[in-house]
Amino acid sequence: MSIFMKATLEVDAYLANEVVDVLVNKMAPMFEEHGWKMHGCFVERFGPVKPAVIVDLWEMEDMAHVERVMKGDAYRADPRYLEAAGVLKRAVFKESLQFLEKRGGLMPSFYD
């Protein structure tokens, strides 16, 4: 059964587009090489103007898959990560992660 990770970032509103760019064009392809699938990167349209809120939704095989990728830290030497990390350090005020189990709906799962 797949597991999903919802990452919620509160970021400097003036850097929100730059954050979305590195998430979609650097982080997603990099983590997809490790087997993670990004289902979407979302920006709240209504709510606080500052900070901006970005939510991205990832799918992994299971929690062991999460542990394998995060424990190895191999991705940290990847040039895409290093570029993204610089942007994220400047822009992110707060980050939270939640792990979810899919119980229904139309979104396809890759690992089931």
Side-chain angles (χ1 to χ4, degrees):
M1 176 195 279
S2 296
I3 191 153
F4 293 84
M5 180 180 75
K6 180 179 94 171
T8 304
L9 307 172
E10 292 182 12
V11 304
D12 181 321
Y14 298 107
L15 297 174
N17 288 337
E18 195 172 351
V19 171
V20 168
D21 180 59
V22 298
L23 289 172
V24 171
N25 297 311
K26 305 289 184 206
M27 301 293 279
M30 181 187 70
F31 280 115
E32 285 177 1
E33 291 172 9
H34 293 279
W36 293 14
K37 304 290 181 195
M38 180 190 264
H39 282 280
C41 182
F42 308 89
V43 178
E44 288 187 0
R45 298 292 294 171
F46 299 98
V49 174
K50 295 180 187 177
V53 177
I54 299 170
V55 176
D56 46 291
L57 185 64
W58 298 82
E59 181 180 3
M60 299 88 161
E61 294 173 27
D62 50 29
M63 283 306 292
H65 189 190
V66 177
E67 296 285 334
R68 282 192 307 274
V69 173
M70 299 308 279
K71 189 174 184 180
D73 279 346
Y75 66 91
R76 292 185 189 272
D78 189 300
R80 295 168 293 186
Y81 176 81
L82 297 172
E83 182 181 341
V87 172
L88 297 175
K89 284 179 186 177
R90 285 194 333 265
V92 177
F93 301 134
K94 182 179 176 183
E95 179 179 16
S96 66
L97 302 176
Q98 294 175 312
F99 291 91
L100 314 163
E101 292 180 356
K102 183 179 177 187
R103 298 290 177 97
L106 300 176
M107 185 176 70
S109 295
F110 291 94
Y111 298 106
D112 292 337

